[in-house]
Amino acid sequence: MNYMGRVLDDKFSGDFLKEALRAADKKMPYRGPSVYQSGEYTYRCNVTGDFTWFQGYEEIYWNDIKVYECVFHGGLTK
């Protein structure tokens, strides 16, 4: 997988991102779950494709302010 993210606001929390990524499940193992919320932070992740070829976008909000975004893609290699 390749990914590139960027911090958009000082309210970004790396600890929250790690917490959200640890909440990934076997149905969607790419980054984090579709939605994860803790306190004032909300993580959202949208993926298209399957494990053999996929792309996605994740974002974190602090209240209604987008503080982080990331694009990623990947798949199986031979």
Side-chain angles (χ1 to χ4, degrees):
M1 178 189 325
N2 295 300
Y3 62 91
M4 182 168 182
R6 65 182 182 155
V7 173
L8 304 172
D9 190 276
D10 289 341
K11 294 291 186 181
F12 170 75
S13 168
D15 290 339
F16 173 76
L17 174 58
K18 290 175 189 175
E19 181 181 326
L21 296 179
R22 283 192 299 268
D25 62 27
K26 291 181 182 181
K27 293 179 185 177
M28 194 170 132
Y30 310 98
R31 293 283 289 166
S34 295
V35 177
Y36 180 81
Q37 188 168 6
S38 179
E40 297 172 317
Y41 288 94
T42 303
Y43 170 92
R44 293 187 182 121
C45 184
N46 183 21
V47 179
T48 57
D50 61 25
F51 198 73
T52 62
W53 185 256
F54 62 88
Q55 60 185 354
Y57 177 74
E58 70 183 5
E59 54 195 354
I60 294 175
Y61 287 85
W62 177 79
N63 294 319
D64 292 330
I65 300 169
K66 187 190 294 190
V67 298
Y68 171 82
E69 65 182 355
C70 175
V71 294
F72 58 92
H73 66 268
L76 295 177
T77 58
K78 292 183 180 188

